[in-house]
């Protein structure tokens, strides 16, 4: 069978490896980038490695967890580290890596916080003394009053603002949701579909949070020594997420599959309800048309429909053309140290003159910086000198052609350094090195023509040998494990002779398992986050 996979990110590589492991099919993968992994790739700069967006490896799917482990064994540790906890999910894992093996998964602690009012808040927000004291009694009173109003007089849910206000009240929405969400997406919350909230912010309840906080206080009073929370942990490739996907690519090619890097798909030849061939162009400009019996696509839907020959119907083409995306710039910043910030309620938690977080959500209104990663805390092996330097990732959300994207690299890097210094997290004199990475179409948007996306889906689902999978392939805010599951289901259908797509589209719709959805009742609310997290 001549099977073509468009894209060599998590979904494309999962599909390719599943096909080659489970059948005699040797797929052809076509990847526009110079390396595999998509947004889950690892960028290396002078021995320092960057994880674009942050990818925690934990899934509620046993199949996904086992699949990862089939490529990378898990490094050993003490008894507790061999039981990992994440989002009130817990699972036992068994060490099977040789000590010191570079091709293994580490068990890493999870810590994310919010930086707001020059203070650090727990993320997700917790009803504890730190949160209440950071917010102050007047703001807390306004939050509770507006929440009560929202419960009594809910809004009609026409957009994301209505969705969030109904669940958390207007004051909490304006404090922790509105500005950050608009920083991420670049449009008002009123212009974003309520479906985005339904997919990404489910199962939270302030009422239950208050009950749980009161219950926890009572339990702690009755038994001061009782340990009521577990340190959350996740798996992480020693050299970053791209290491795992490079191993997947290696197995595909070792088993006879082909991966063409630096090669773009420019068109799809169609006869009725079937794709017959794929047009490609390589980095030297050489063009080729390759016959196809099946095509699995992870490329942006907008580009896929634009490349149809003969063209898609007018209504399909119109909706696809109106689909929007959010682009992404991250600046790697190597510094001697971070400032020991007075807003940290627990300054002893700073390690080696750096904060202990995996990442920090920057909600300060006076900077455009969206998120800060501390790569040392993901894996020490991401940093060439993990003891003497701190390797940071400053993440900005933007659109191709806007003022941020249009800055040249040196200007943008200087701008990013000044922003981080202005909120008292570094001293510019401590900067040793920088590296800038741009990513187009990092996040499919739930505005533009997205409200009519069903028109595109119905038409594409009628093309019997074309399968849409993954984040951009489905124009859906999937995480890494969700993308992998859509790829697996597409392979199941192809090998089983099935033409239905319902199970693929159902992945992630009712999935409670998100980084943005902390199903803990002591967590009242959190801002919608834009992430490439593969874990959740």
């Amino acid at each position: 069978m001549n099977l073509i996979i468009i894209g060599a990110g998590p979904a494309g590589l999962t599909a390719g490896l599943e096909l080659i492991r489970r059948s005699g099919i040797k797929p052809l993968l076509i990847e526009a980038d110079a390396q595999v992994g998509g947004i889950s790739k690892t960028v290396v700069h002078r021995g320092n490695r960057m994880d674009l967006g942050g990818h925690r490896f934990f899934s509620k799917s046993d199949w996904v967890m086992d699949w990862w482990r089939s490529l990378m064994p898990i490094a050993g540790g003490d008894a507790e580290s061999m039981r990992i906890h994440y989002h009130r999910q817990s699972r036992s894992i068994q060490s099977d890596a040789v000590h010191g093996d570079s091709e293994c998964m580490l068990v890493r602690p999870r810590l994310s916080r919010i930086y707001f009012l020059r203070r650090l808040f727990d993320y997700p927000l917790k009803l504890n003394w730190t949160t209440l004291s950071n917010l102050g009694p007047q703001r807390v009173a306004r939050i509770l009053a507006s929440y009560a109003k929202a419960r009594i007089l809910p809004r009609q849910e026409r957009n994301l603002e209505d969705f969030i206000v109904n669940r958390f009240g207007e004051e909490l929405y304006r404090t922790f949701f509105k500005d950050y969400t608009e920083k991420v997406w670049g449009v008002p919350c009123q212009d974003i579909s309520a479906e985005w909230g339904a997919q990404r912010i489910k199962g939270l309840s302030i009422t239950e949070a208050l009950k749980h906080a009161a219950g926890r206080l009572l339990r702690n009073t009755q038994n001061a020594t009782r340990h009521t929370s577990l340190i959350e942990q996740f798996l992480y490739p020693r050299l970053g997420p791209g290491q795992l996907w490079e191993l997947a690519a290696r197995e595909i090619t070792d088993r006879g599959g082909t991966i063409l890097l630096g090669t773009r798909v420019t068109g799809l030849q169609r006869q009725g309800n079937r794709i017959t061939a794929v047009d490609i162009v390589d980095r030297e400009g050489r063009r080729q048309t390759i016959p196809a019996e099946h095509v699995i696509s992870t490329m942006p839907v907008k580009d896929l429909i634009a490349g149809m020959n003969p063209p898609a119907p007018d209504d399909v083409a119109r909706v696809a053309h109106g689909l929007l995306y959010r682009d992404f710039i991250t600046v790697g910043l190597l510094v001697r140290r971070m400032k020991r910030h007075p807003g940290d309620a627990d300054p002893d938690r700073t390690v080696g003159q750096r904060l202990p977080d995996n990442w920090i959500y920057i909600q300060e209104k006076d900077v455009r910086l969206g998120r800060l990663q501390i790569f040392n805390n993901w894996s020490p092996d991401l940093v060439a000198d993990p003891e003497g330097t701190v390797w940071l990732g400053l993440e900005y959300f933007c659109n191709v052609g806007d003022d941020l994207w249009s800055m040249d690299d040196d200007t943008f890097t200087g701008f990013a350094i000044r922003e981080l210094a202005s909120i008292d997290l570094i001293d510019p004199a401590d900067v040793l090195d920088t590296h800038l990475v741009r990513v187009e179409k990092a996040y499919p948007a739930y505005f533009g023509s997205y409200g009519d996306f069903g028109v595109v889906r119905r038409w594409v689902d009628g093309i019997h040998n074309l399968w849409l999978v993954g984040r951009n392939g489905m124009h859906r805010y999937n995480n890494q494990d969700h993308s992998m599951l859509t790829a697996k289901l597409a392979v199941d259908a192809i090998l089983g002779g099935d033409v239905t797509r319902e199970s693929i589209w159902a992945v992630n719709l009712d999935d409670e398992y998100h980084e943005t959805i902390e199903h803990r009742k002591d967590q009242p609310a959190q801002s919608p986050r834009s992430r490439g997290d593969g874990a959740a």
Side-chain angles (χ1 to χ4, degrees):
M1 181 184 293
N2 192 12
L3 192 147
I4 295 175
I5 299 172
I6 305 174
L13 290 168
T14 299
L17 195 49
E18 281 295 289
L19 283 164
I20 216 161
R21 284 176 172 177
R22 294 164 54 186
S23 72
I25 298 172
K26 294 178 172 55
L28 168 64
L29 284 77
I30 302 168
E31 172 55 52
D33 201 352
Q35 69 182 99
V36 300
I39 198 172
S40 298
K41 67 184 178 183
T42 301
V43 175
V44 183
H45 173 71
R46 296 177 183 169
N48 295 300
R49 292 172 165 81
M50 300 171 66
D51 177 350
L52 305 180
H55 292 80
R56 296 183 176 122
F57 286 70
F58 190 106
S59 177
K60 64 186 285 186
S61 164
D62 290 334
W63 180 85
V64 170
M65 295 291 287
D66 291 342
W67 200 95
W68 283 331
R69 189 173 170 185
S70 75
L71 288 169
M72 298 191 81
I74 299 170
D78 58 31
E80 176 63 21
S81 71
M82 290 296 98
R83 186 165 188 84
I84 54 178
H85 313 276
Y86 202 82
H87 292 182
R88 290 187 77 87
Q89 300 279 331
S90 178
R91 64 171 66 236
S92 296
I93 57 173
Q94 179 158 357
S95 169
D96 46 15
V98 177
H99 182 71
D101 185 356
S102 64
E103 292 186 351
C104 68
M105 302 272 261
L106 305 177
V107 178
R108 302 298 296 162
R110 169 197 179 272
L111 177 63
S112 300
R113 286 183 289 178
I114 297 167
Y115 194 68
F116 179 56
L117 304 174
R118 302 304 195 261
R119 294 178 179 274
L120 287 157
F121 292 77
D122 292 312
Y123 173 73
L125 288 173
K126 298 178 182 178
L127 287 176
N128 57 24
W129 176 250
T130 299
T131 299
L132 297 177
S133 62
N134 281 349
L135 289 173
Q138 292 183 339
R139 186 179 274 112
V140 170
R142 292 197 301 268
I143 287 171
L144 295 176
S146 68
Y147 174 69
K149 178 181 177 181
R151 303 306 295 169
I152 296 169
L153 300 170
R155 296 184 179 188
Q156 178 184 351
E157 291 185 3
R158 298 159 298 182
N159 53 52
L160 183 60
E161 178 177 294
D162 296 331
F163 180 93
I164 299 173
V165 169
N166 278 352
R167 284 150 184 81
F168 309 115
E170 187 166 350
E171 183 68 24
L172 194 59
Y173 160 71
R174 295 191 178 280
T175 301
F176 280 107
F177 288 82
K178 181 178 185 296
D179 293 319
Y180 186 88
T181 304
E182 293 178 358
K183 183 187 290 189
V184 169
W185 293 106
V187 298
C189 289
Q190 297 95 321
D191 292 347
I192 302 175
S193 169
E195 183 180 340
W196 191 92
Q199 184 179 339
R200 303 296 294 188
I201 315 168
K202 298 173 289 187
L204 294 173
S205 167
I206 290 182
T207 301
E208 291 300 318
L210 289 167
K211 291 179 181 178
H212 189 76
R216 185 175 59 180
L217 178 62
L218 178 62
R219 289 193 304 271
N220 289 345
T221 301
Q222 293 173 341
N223 184 2
T225 63
R226 182 175 177 180
H227 183 65
T228 59
S229 64
L230 294 169
I231 297 173
E232 293 203 336
Q233 298 167 307
F234 57 93
L235 300 179
Y236 192 75
R238 186 182 293 277
L239 299 179
Q243 184 183 24
L244 181 137
W245 296 113
E246 288 159 9
L247 291 173
R250 184 199 304 171
E251 183 173 339
I252 289 171
T253 56
D254 286 349
R255 288 176 175 243
T258 302
I259 301 176
L260 300 180
L261 298 176
T263 303
R264 292 186 300 107
V265 170
T266 58
L268 289 88
Q269 303 298 319
R270 179 173 60 88
Q271 289 184 3
N273 61 359
R274 296 190 67 83
I275 301 298
T276 59
V278 174
D279 301 324
I280 64 173
V281 59
D282 66 17
R283 67 190 78 188
E284 281 78 36
R286 293 173 299 209
R287 297 183 178 273
Q288 185 179 359
T289 297
I290 305 173
E293 295 177 57
H294 278 278
V295 176
I296 297 175
S297 175
T298 72
M299 71 187 292
V301 173
K302 183 173 189 172
D303 300 334
L304 178 81
I305 299 300
M308 287 289 175
N309 184 23
D314 289 346
D315 58 340
V316 174
R318 174 188 57 80
V319 174
H321 181 72
L323 293 174
L324 300 176
Y325 302 82
R326 194 67 163 150
D327 308 300
F328 178 80
I329 299 175
T330 184
V331 177
L333 208 65
L334 188 68
V335 297
R336 294 185 181 89
R337 63 185 68 84
M338 295 183 71
K339 284 189 175 180
R340 188 179 293 273
H341 196 269
D344 189 353
D346 186 2
D348 292 336
R349 290 172 71 181
T350 55
V351 180
Q353 298 190 70
R354 70 176 188 270
L355 293 169
D357 307 70
N358 305 116
W359 62 41
I360 299 171
Y361 298 105
I362 308 297
Q363 296 213 169
E364 302 292 18
K365 298 181 181 181
D366 54 335
V367 295
R368 298 176 71 176
L369 175 63
R371 202 167 52 190
L372 176 68
Q373 288 200 73
I374 306 174
F375 294 120
N376 304 58
N377 299 330
W378 289 89
S379 167
D381 293 283
L382 295 183
V383 190
D385 178 12
E387 299 301 323
T389 60
V390 183
W391 182 225
L392 304 172
L394 286 66
E395 301 180 350
Y396 289 84
F397 310 104
C398 55
N399 292 326
V400 170
D402 69 12
D403 61 324
L404 290 178
W405 191 272
S406 299
M407 289 186 197
D408 63 66
D409 289 2
D410 289 342
T411 301
F412 193 98
T413 298
F415 166 77
I417 292 170
R418 289 191 298 274
E419 283 215 325
L420 196 59
S422 74
I423 56 175
D424 300 324
L425 291 178
I426 66 162
D427 184 333
D430 287 325
V431 175
L432 301 172
D433 196 9
T434 64
H435 185 63
L436 184 143
V437 179
R438 301 171 188 263
V439 180
E440 294 189 36
K441 293 185 173 71
Y443 308 105
Y446 282 57
F447 45 91
S449 63
Y450 178 77
D452 295 323
F453 185 75
V455 173
V456 176
R457 174 185 163 180
R458 285 189 292 272
W459 185 77
V460 173
D461 281 356
I463 301 177
H464 293 167
N465 64 339
L466 175 62
W467 307 83
L468 305 190
V469 300
R471 173 180 283 196
N472 278 340
M474 302 172 72
H475 202 86
R476 176 172 289 172
Y477 205 127
N478 283 334
N479 290 316
Q480 184 174 228
D481 60 339
H482 299 127
S483 294
M484 293 172 64
L485 287 167
T486 63
K488 174 190 180 295
L489 291 169
V491 171
D492 290 345
I494 291 170
L495 297 182
D498 190 2
V499 297
T500 60
R501 271 76 170 164
E502 283 77 9
S503 62
I504 299 173
W505 289 105
V507 171
N508 193 15
L509 285 184
D510 298 314
D511 190 348
E512 66 189 11
Y513 202 71
H514 291 287
E515 171 64 11
T516 57
I517 305 162
E518 187 76 23
H519 273 256
R520 288 191 275 181
K521 294 179 181 179
D522 62 336
Q523 316 264 326
Q526 58 225 289
S527 297
R529 304 299 173 194
S530 179
R531 308 173 357 89
D533 192 342

